[in-house]
């Protein structure tokens, strides 16, 4: 059986928490906890509060996500 695809939603980083976890406010108005994807950790892409990002949410749990892209 194929894995479910994530839902990608743009948002803005509100706060950086310990352990590379971030609080992100989505376009829909809700806040989610998001962590960095592996490629962003590998290439050491820095995320700061106020950055625009894309967050991939699981269809099963819409309160946690993974940051997949940082807009310039």
């Amino acid at each position: 059986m194929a894995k479910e695809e994530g839902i990608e939603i743009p948002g803005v980083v509100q706060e950086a928490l310990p352990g590379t976890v971030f609080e992100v406010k989505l376009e829909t108005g809700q806040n989610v906890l998001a962590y960095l994807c592996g490629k962003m950790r590998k290439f050491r892409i820095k995320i700061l509060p106020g950055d625009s990002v894309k967050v991939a949410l699981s269809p099963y749990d819409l309160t946690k996500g993974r940051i997949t892209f940082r807009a310039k």
Side-chain angles (χ1 to χ4, degrees), residues 12-24 33-34 47-50 67:
V12 177
V13 175
Q14 297 293 314
E15 184 179 359
L17 302 170
T20 65
V21 177
F22 299 90
E23 185 178 332
V24 180
L33 290 177
I47 304 288
L48 298 172
I67 297 174

Side-chain angles (χ1 to χ4, degrees), residues 1 3 11-12 15-16 20 22-24 27-28 31 34-35 38 50-51 53 58 62 67 69:
M1 188 166 163
K3 200 173 193 182
V12 177
E15 184 179 359
T20 65
F22 299 90
E23 185 178 332
V24 180
E27 269 188 351
T28 59
N31 287 341
Y35 61 91
D51 286 347
V53 295
S58 167
L62 298 175
I67 297 174
F69 182 78

Side-chain angles (χ1 to χ4, degrees), residues 16-71:
L17 302 170
T20 65
V21 177
F22 299 90
E23 185 178 332
V24 180
K25 184 171 184 108
L26 302 177
E27 269 188 351
T28 59
Q30 72 184 58
N31 287 341
V32 297
L33 290 177
Y35 61 91
L36 290 179
C37 68
K39 290 273 185 179
M40 293 184 80
R41 286 181 192 226
K42 180 180 176 182
F43 294 109
R44 296 188 176 141
I45 296 174
K46 304 292 185 208
I47 304 288
L48 298 172
D51 286 347
S52 297
V53 295
K54 282 189 186 175
V55 178
L57 296 174
S58 167
Y60 301 110
D61 186 8
L62 298 175
T63 62
K64 295 179 184 164
R66 181 176 61 235
I67 297 174
T68 57
F69 182 78
R70 177 182 159 251

